[in-house]
Every structure is written in C-alpha cells, then in structure tokens.
Amino acid sequence: MPKTLFEKIWQDHLVADLGNGSHLLHIDRVFLHERTGSIALTGLAERKLQVRNPAHAFCTMDHIVDTRPGRGDETAMPGGREFITRTRQETRRAGITLFDINDPRQGISHVIAAEQGIALPGLTMVCPDSHTCTLGALGALAWGIGSSDCEHALALETLRVIKPEQMAVYLEGDLARGVTAKDVMLHLIAEYSASGGRGYAIEFRGSGIGQLPVEARMTLCNMAVEFSAFTGLIAPDEATLDYVAGRPYAPVGDQRDAATAYWRQLSSDDGAVYDRELRVDLADVEPTVTWGTSPQHAVGISGRVPDPGNESDEAAGRAMQRALDYMGLNPGTAMSSIPIDAAFIGSCTNSRLSDLRAAADILEGNKIARGIKAICVPGSSRVKLEAEQEGLDQVFRDAGFEWRESGCSLCFYAGGEGFTRNERVITSTNRNFEGRQGPGARSHLASPATVAASALAGFITDARITGN
C-alpha cells in the first residue's frame, strides 16, 4: 500500500499497537523549557526515576526569562526566579543539556531545536509546548505534550498516542508579492475555521511549498496547532537537507550519508490516501490580519471588519460580537484604517533571521509613528547575533524599536510583562485570544512586514505600499 509521509515516520517508530487506535511510539528527542521542564524533572526525581537517555533530552530558558538587556535570573513573572533556578538545578542533576540564559545557543525551544540540528527529518520529537509542530517543517513528527507525558517520555523514550487521521493541504499557484507564509495560514484558518484541522496530522503539499524557504515553512507548521491539528509536517527536499547540513547536532561523515539516504525516502508515495484534502489557491491570498480574538477572525488587509448580523449561525454571530466588543471595533471598519498603540515582532512563529530581515527592509530609513511602543525580540541568541552582524539591530533602533534579548517575551502574558488594557497591538505572534498579551490587550496577528509597516504608519497598513 502506498504510504504518506506521516505513516512512514509513524510506522518507523511504532513499538506496539495497544488497540482502540492507541499506539506506543518511540520518542527520539525531548525538549524542555523552564516553565514546565522543572516540573517534569522534579516529578521524575520524586518518583526516583532517571532520564533514560540524557543525550537526547534538551532544555532551554525561554518562556519566563526576561528579555530586557542586562537580564539575569530575576523576572517580571511572580515566582519566575524559582522556575529558572529549579530548572538549572534539575537539568544538572539529570545530566541533560541546558541552554542557559547566557549560553550563546539559548533561545525559544522551537527555534533552537532546528537551529542546533536537534530536530531532524524523520525523528519524533516532543516538548511541553503546543507549537512543537513547528519542527514538522524539517520533516520531523513533532507535537506538544503535557508535563505528565513529558515525564513518561523522559523516563522511557516512549509515549502512548492516539493515532490521528491524515489531511493534505495543497498550496497551489504562485505567492503574490508581499504575501508570506503567515498570511497563507491566517487565510487557511479564516476559510475553514480554527477547528478545521481537529483530529488530523496535516501534511502541507503542492507547488507552493517549493516557493517557501525553510524558515517560512516553519511558520506554516507552527500555526497548524492554531488550526487545531495534531501536528503539521512537510516532506524534506534539497532545501531542507541544505538547511540541516553542518548544524551542531546534525550527523556527520558516514552517519550523515546514511541519514541523507533515509531522508530522501521521506515523502508520500504516489497514490497515498489522505482522510481529507484541502486546497489553497495562493493567488487568492493577500497580506492578512486578524480583527477578533481567534486566528479564524482574519481578513485580507484590503477588507473590512465583518458584521455578526450577517452570520446565519446565531452562536457564531454572538461569538463574533463578543470578539468585536473586546477588540473595540465596529462592523464595516476598513482594516487599513485601524489605529494601533504598539507593535511586537517575535515569537516562535516569526522571530527568525528571515523575519527580522523582512521587517528591517520596511523600517530602514524610517521612524515609527509618534506614541507607538515597538519591540523586537529575536527568536534565539544566535539570531540576535547574526542580525547584529548584519546591522539589523541598528535599523530597528534607528526606527524606534526596542531591541531585546531572545525569548518568548510578550508573545504571551504569564503575570509578568505585558501590554495594557485596551492597548491595541499589531503582532507577529500566533494567538490573539482575550488577554493573550496582557489583561485587556487587543492583539492583531500579522506578518513581520505588516507589523513593521503598521508601526511606521500608526495604523494597520499594507507593507506593499510602504516598503522600500
């Protein structure tokens, strides 16, 4: 029987069929962070269990750590210091690699797992964070788990998993100028709803994939979870193999040759069957921005805020009205006329070097609008260093942005630093539910280019109009 990419990786890692759709899988890599990693490691210690393979477990400081210059263990989150110091203590006890605050390899888990070559094609990888699916862009089977499952994976290198159904999302045609992977995902989610991928592992396919650099593919897979999917993945191609080559944890020599031969087999067979297929005509996608409190509340930047009264489903209409009330918007408002108070570039979705370059192209030689708070947080210390070597940091600073240390930062509010009530933020993050970036903060999801252009104008703006 022809097999899909997902099926090939699943079968290669299948330890046992437990019945009723439940399988026991071998787990190749476990990645932790200081918010939940210390909990999982402490749980193991209390049960007198050890990490089975410390060489395949990693941890970073990203969720709670401060991103302001001169940072240390102190953090704006109440109790944050305890998470940081406990994580440091427990990783040392367990013998696993920690990318600590001042380690040049430190960064957001899903950014550095790829950057360091920890995530590789064909591997299974888990992390107690829902956006672990980002790493499917390399052809890995990666998904987010809870602390209890994390303990199990650390102790036994296996996990009990309910096998999802399979979906193919075909991206066909050519991307228009100024349209990004972020816009494609917001368009997809708006078209099929935030629950459109529920119960599925999604493979992104089609001619459009080859137009996207590997880092842009990471944005696609990152937001698969916002589509409610189990994970997202893309078959590795030559661009993937070039990206992986030479990474610190990637195989070398004869092992590299053997791995490459295996990686080249990781694609869906002709005739492989999916449980559902969706198609996106890329010609229909324009720069896209959210207006509400879900990624599905999105329209093209040339569009207008929709009217809940036009919804045939009463429940959907009520949900839309609640979102508009929270966001302080009226139906019919042109998206390109909405004023903003703040701009944020960062997160595991859009904080890589290519994202910063795209924003810097818009910002260079310009100043942000008066009164706008603008912050850029690179996704890793390596991204920050490379950006500084290219002079991008100076472009951001000259434009009026704060230039931060790497971490999750203001992507989400955990009781520490956040945007304020009714503060309207154009943001390159992945979630816009009520309070996501601070109590009462109003978040509009967009690409880094759209964020940069909007910061310059002081209102939501099409970057294709303002770009250099």
Side-chain angles (χ1 to χ4, degrees):
M1 291 286 291
K3 294 181 179 179
T4 64
L5 168 63
F6 171 84
E7 189 66 39
K8 289 180 179 182
I9 301 175
W10 190 276
Q11 290 297 326
D12 283 348
H13 290 80
L14 182 63
V15 176
D17 186 337
L18 304 178
N20 297 319
S22 181
H23 293 178
L24 189 68
L25 295 185
H26 176 77
I27 303 301
D28 295 310
R29 303 284 188 272
V30 181
F31 214 113
L32 311 173
H33 55 78
E34 82 279 26
R35 194 176 187 204
T36 54
S38 60
I39 297 172
L41 291 171
T42 299
L44 285 184
E46 289 174 350
R47 295 162 62 191
K48 301 188 185 309
L49 296 173
Q50 294 183 332
V51 175
R52 182 179 178 88
N53 192 342
H56 289 171
F58 302 84
C59 185
T60 188
M61 303 287 196
D62 65 354
H63 272 61
I64 295 170
V65 64
D66 197 352
T67 58
R68 286 169 287 206
R71 67 182 177 187
D73 290 354
E74 296 299 332
T75 174
M77 174 184 166
R81 180 185 177 90
E82 173 64 19
F83 280 96
I84 290 170
T85 56
R86 178 61 66 87
T87 297
R88 189 175 292 131
Q89 171 186 323
E90 292 301 323
T91 52
R92 186 180 300 117
R93 181 197 61 79
I96 70 175
T97 298
L98 172 66
F99 304 114
D100 210 338
I101 293 171
N102 294 317
D103 190 315
R105 302 169 296 174
Q106 177 271 343
I108 300 174
S109 55
H110 324 309
V111 175
I112 65 173
E115 188 177 85
Q116 293 295 317
I118 294 166
L120 296 168
L123 295 187
T124 52
M125 184 163 183
V126 294
C127 173
D129 185 285
S130 56
H131 292 101
T132 306
C133 52
T134 304
L135 303 167
L138 299 177
L141 179 54
W143 69 98
I145 58 174
S147 294
S148 297
D149 275 351
C150 191
E151 290 182 33
H152 195 288
L154 287 166
L156 298 174
E157 290 189 287
T158 59
L159 269 183
R160 177 182 177 274
V161 188
I162 301 295
K163 188 176 182 181
E165 292 188 297
Q166 298 177 62
M167 176 190 290
V169 174
Y170 291 89
L171 307 183
E172 302 291 0
D174 295 323
L175 283 171
R177 181 181 68 85
V179 176
T180 71
K182 181 70 160 287
D183 303 311
V184 172
M185 282 307 294
L186 289 175
H187 176 90
L188 173 70
I189 296 168
E191 181 73 17
Y192 293 100
S193 88
S195 62
R198 180 174 297 158
Y200 293 95
I202 296 175
E203 182 183 349
F204 293 98
R205 297 171 54 82
S207 61
I209 295 298
Q211 301 173 44
L212 296 174
V214 172
E215 291 188 349
R217 300 175 192 182
M218 292 180 189
T219 299
L220 284 183
C221 291
N222 174 276
M223 294 196 68
V225 71
E226 307 310 328
F227 198 37
S228 298
F230 172 78
T231 193
L233 68 168
I234 296 171
D237 58 12
E238 292 307 310
T240 314
L241 302 189
D242 288 345
Y243 179 92
V244 168
R247 302 281 170 179
Y249 287 90
V252 296
D254 291 343
Q255 289 185 336
R256 160 75 183 176
D257 294 340
T260 300
Y262 171 63
W263 296 339
R264 292 189 191 281
Q265 299 175 30
L266 290 176
S267 61
S268 294
D269 297 330
D270 292 340
V273 177
Y274 298 86
D275 297 290
R276 189 182 183 193
E277 296 183 359
L278 302 179
R279 296 183 184 274
V280 176
D281 184 345
L282 295 179
D284 294 337
V285 184
E286 65 174 317
T288 303
V289 185
T290 59
W291 53 264
T293 55
S294 165
Q296 76 180 33
H297 294 157
V299 294
I301 200 161
S302 65
R304 295 179 177 271
V305 175
D307 187 344
N310 294 332
E311 276 293 315
S312 58
D313 185 310
E314 285 189 23
R318 287 195 299 270
M320 289 174 64
Q321 187 59 57
R322 171 173 173 160
L324 290 180
D325 291 343
Y326 178 83
M327 295 296 290
L329 294 174
N330 295 315
T333 302
M335 291 301 297
S336 58
S337 71
I338 298 172
I340 63 168
D341 303 298
F344 178 78
I345 294 175
S347 84
C348 57
T349 311
N350 287 123
S351 63
R352 296 169 182 84
L353 188 59
S354 56
D355 298 312
L356 305 191
R357 286 171 176 161
D361 283 346
I362 302 295
L363 296 173
E364 189 166 16
N366 296 304
K367 298 285 187 181
I368 63 174
R370 185 183 299 275
I372 299 296
K373 178 198 299 182
I375 299 171
C376 179
V377 183
S380 73
S381 293
R382 175 173 171 170
V383 168
K384 179 175 183 286
L385 176 62
E386 291 177 347
E388 289 170 350
Q389 290 171 339
E390 294 185 14
L392 302 185
D393 62 316
Q394 201 58 51
V395 173
F396 278 95
R397 288 189 174 106
D398 289 347
F401 270 73
E402 291 182 42
W403 181 253
R404 296 285 192 96
E405 302 291 339
S406 68
C408 296
S409 189
L410 287 155
C411 172
F412 75 101
Y413 177 76
E417 188 179 14
F419 294 103
T420 59
R421 183 169 300 279
N422 296 336
E423 196 168 19
R424 191 176 302 282
V425 188
I426 186 84
T427 177
S428 71
T429 53
N430 42 51
R431 289 181 176 164
N432 57 333
F433 56 75
E434 295 182 18
R436 169 69 176 183
Q437 292 187 278
R442 296 164 168 169
S443 300
H444 294 270
L445 306 183
S447 72
T450 300
V451 173
S454 303
L456 296 178
F459 51 87
I460 295 175
T461 302
D462 189 338
R464 296 172 299 182
I465 298 173
T466 61
N468 287 323

